[in-house]
Amino acid sequence: MRSPQVVVVMEVTGTGKTTIGVLLAARLRVPYAEGDDFHPQANIARMSAGVALTDEDRRPWLDAIGAWARKRTGLGGVISGSALRRAYRDRVRATAPGIVFVHLTGDRALIEERLARRQGHFMPTALLASQLASLQPLEPDEAGVTVDVSGDPEEITVRVVDALRELERSSAEQ
């Protein structure tokens, strides 16, 4: 790719944001940041208790992700984060305008299967339904790509890299 991008790997819990984020960062040779680490402790406690976050709860988290992304502008980086709603992505973009979103998508049954196998994560499976209800897919005017999460992590990562290259190519032609 031409210049290092700052990428947010987004979607509902269980799609592999962390796994794909780590692999993507390694491929792009840029740092990776775990979006969950940017949550205030109160947010983690709420989610651990099975309570969905409000927009107000998310604001400091979104601002922290935006600040990290802004610091990485021109240097590149990958960060994971649900970024389920357009308003959340807009808030991050307001701080880091050049950011690109990778929207991981998948069949609900596949995501539920992955969640059932996951251990040691604070986000309970019960919150999947509320996340799916809140999800607003990327819109055509948003810088980003949508990639299916079927297959193994390496296959998914290759699809992400290819989609980002195509996005960059399309942007350069405009």
Side-chain angles (χ1 to χ4, degrees):
M1 288 191 222
R2 208 168 10 111
S3 63
Q5 294 176 310
V6 180
V7 176
V8 175
V9 178
M10 62 167 273
E11 186 43 306
V12 298
T13 188
T15 53
K17 292 183 299 287
T18 297
T19 301
I20 302 308
V22 168
L23 291 171
L24 179 61
R27 286 261 170 138
L28 301 178
R29 295 187 177 107
V30 296
Y32 170 75
E34 171 56 56
D36 288 339
D37 293 343
F38 291 79
H39 274 295
Q41 189 57 43
N43 285 6
I44 293 173
R46 285 178 64 87
M47 289 183 287
S48 295
V51 178
L53 298 180
T54 66
D55 288 354
E56 187 65 32
D57 294 330
R58 285 185 177 88
R59 284 188 186 109
W61 174 69
L62 294 165
D63 292 343
I65 287 175
W68 184 87
R70 184 182 63 242
K71 289 178 188 171
R72 298 300 313 162
T73 300
L75 303 171
V78 175
I79 187 167
S80 59
S82 54
L84 298 175
R85 293 186 172 168
R86 170 74 187 247
Y88 305 161
R89 297 186 298 270
D90 288 347
R91 189 170 183 102
V92 172
R93 262 192 300 273
T95 305
I99 202 159
V100 174
F101 289 88
V102 171
H103 180 182
L104 299 177
T105 63
D107 178 70
R108 183 177 180 147
L110 173 64
I111 295 167
E112 287 174 341
E113 177 189 319
R114 289 179 179 177
L115 283 171
R117 288 183 296 181
R118 186 164 74 173
Q119 297 178 0
H121 194 277
F122 65 84
M123 183 71 147
T125 304
L127 288 180
L128 177 61
S130 70
Q131 285 199 333
L132 288 168
S134 293
L135 177 64
Q136 295 173 336
L138 288 175
E139 296 180 26
D141 66 326
E142 293 185 88
V145 297
T146 301
V147 177
D148 182 74
V149 295
S150 58
D152 69 47
E154 283 296 329
E155 293 170 332
I156 299 163
T157 303
V158 167
R159 287 197 302 269
V160 169
V161 170
D162 290 346
L164 288 171
R165 284 191 177 128
E166 183 57 35
L167 177 67
E168 186 175 58
R169 202 173 2 261
S170 297
S171 296
E173 291 172 2
Q174 293 177 0

